[in-house]
Every structure is written in structure tokens, then in C-alpha cells.
Amino acid sequence: MTNILLTGSSRGIGAAIAQALDTADVSLIGHGTHSGIPADFDEPAAPRALWQTALDRLGGTIDVLINNAGIFEANPLDAEDDAWVAGWERTMRVNLTASAELCRLAVLHWQERGVGGRIVNVASRAAYRGDSPAHWHYAASKAGMVAMTKTIARGYAAQGILAFAICPGFTMTGMAEDYLTSRGGDKLLADIPLGRVAEPREVAEVARFLALEAPPSMTGSVIDVNGASYVR
């Protein structure tokens, strides 16, 4: 049995990941407002509380951490100074710092037990390509997640601790639909050679593979799921 903690499991990509992991060999603890364990990552104490609750419910062992929770909120350049900084710090807190805290707790947990484990971080195409002028903070948070993933992979591979990142482009969640509409829809789709945005189940299948099947030599990999809208 593989014990997995998945953040942001209530909807969109997170819900699709939860469904993809719904097998007899997996015991999944989800986190989210509408399903699983509630935890507001805007609150500094939330990540540790979530980790401990999940650990208790899973009998003291977590084998895989999937960091999917995140927010995508506009932060206009011409906002008032305090509001702009607050928007920046909220996105960093939710998207990056909370994920970093959970990664740290996972690594310490596996080191204490003397076993390996897996981390899958859901980042974004924006980590490499950037985002709109109102989303500096979002792109920066996802770039930080990718750099963190690579650092964990390099630092702990010898202990059997593996780390992977996924960088989706536009994905047909409610958040993506709103953004596509606000940015002209068809014009953005024209920038995707595949001609459509990704489906949540496509990202979920990558997450499932990395969480359960990817060979150890893949640690440190960043997998793009963006219809060739950005290639490296």
C-alpha cells in the first residue's frame, strides 16, 4: 500500500489526480476546501497541521507528497503599494512557501524512517515562459517550485528521496477558462500548436506516473504538459 498526501484535491487538476490515484494499492489523503482535510495555506500554521493530520490518518507513514494546491490571482502593476506587496506575498505563501514546508516535512519524515519517498510538485509553464504583466508573482512562485524540486532531487537522491515537477500550460479548469476568456480565447489557442488546452486528466496521468511508476533515474525531471506552446 502506498500512502499519498495530495494538496488541492477539491477540483480541477487536483480532483483529476485524486481520481487517477483511486486504486486498491493507494491510500490517499486529499486536502481541499470541498473535499479532504481543510487547510488554508494563507495561514503559516496550516502546512504542518495538514501534514500531522494526514500522518495520523495514514497510520504514521506518508510515502508520496503531491503539491498541487495553488492560487492564480491578478496583481495589477498600478495597484497601491501595500496591496501589490500583499498580493505578491499571499501568492508566494500559498504557492511556494506552503509547498516548501510540506517538502521539508516529507524529507525529514523519510530521513527519520530511513526510507525513500517521492515528491511531485505541480508547477506551471509560467516558470519558464513567464506570465501576464498582472502575474509576476504567479510566474515567480512556480519558478521557485521548479528550482526547489531540482534542489531536493540533487540533495537527497542517495537516500532514495526522489523529486519531480510537472509544468502544465493552460488546462481546462475553471481557473483556466476564466483566464482564456479574459485574454481573448482564440488568440491564445492559436499559440498552442496542439490547438487546444490540456485536459486535467492528462496532467493527472503524468502525476500518477511520477508518483508510482517513474524510474528513480528520472528524479529531478520537469515534465511539460502544454501542447508544445513552450518547448525547452
Side-chain angles (χ1 to χ4, degrees):
M1 181 68 67
T2 302
N3 291 344
I4 299 178
L5 170 58
L6 164 66
T7 72
S9 64
S10 296
R11 60 183 181 177
I13 290 172
I17 293 173
Q19 184 175 3
L21 292 170
D22 185 15
T23 71
D25 297 328
V26 169
S27 182
L28 177 74
I29 291 292
H31 144 261
T33 304
H34 306 296
S35 65
I37 307 168
D40 183 358
F41 283 171
D42 202 20
E43 299 295 328
R48 176 170 283 279
L50 171 63
W51 177 265
Q52 191 58 54
T53 301
L55 201 61
D56 292 344
R57 293 191 184 183
L58 290 169
T61 300
I62 293 174
D63 304 302
V64 179
L65 166 66
I66 304 176
N67 278 311
N68 170 71
I71 57 175
F72 183 80
E73 299 173 344
N75 197 22
L77 194 64
D78 59 357
E80 295 293 329
D81 290 351
D82 289 349
W84 192 88
V85 172
W88 177 280
E89 291 180 345
R90 170 173 156 77
T91 289
M92 288 296 177
R93 170 77 243 174
V94 174
N95 289 7
L96 181 57
T97 305
S99 294
E101 290 182 68
L102 288 169
C103 285
R104 173 178 175 266
L105 292 169
V107 170
L108 290 171
H109 173 62
W110 297 324
Q111 288 178 329
E112 181 181 357
R113 293 179 58 222
V115 300
R118 293 183 178 226
I119 292 169
V120 180
N121 288 324
V122 181
S124 168
R125 178 188 74 168
Y128 290 97
R129 176 172 157 154
D131 212 287
S132 80
H135 294 90
W136 292 12
H137 54 340
Y138 178 79
S141 70
K142 294 303 186 177
M145 181 175 272
V146 170
M148 176 176 69
T149 302
K150 293 178 178 181
T151 301
I152 293 168
R154 288 177 56 82
Y156 307 102
Q159 299 171 48
I161 297 171
L162 313 178
F164 312 91
I166 307 171
C167 283
F170 289 115
T171 306
M172 195 48 71
T173 66
M175 184 170 65
E177 288 174 4
D178 293 344
Y179 188 79
L180 283 168
T181 300
S182 70
R183 298 293 168 179
D186 291 342
K187 183 178 179 181
L188 280 184
L189 289 176
D191 190 40
I192 304 175
L194 187 61
R196 64 171 177 82
V197 299
E199 296 290 338
R201 60 178 175 78
E202 294 179 294
V203 183
E205 180 57 28
V206 176
R208 185 203 62 78
F209 170 71
L210 295 175
L212 300 176
E213 299 176 4
S217 288
M218 280 187 66
T219 191
S221 295
V222 181
I223 308 299
D224 296 317
V225 188
N226 64 46
S229 61
Y230 187 79
V231 293
R232 293 178 286 119

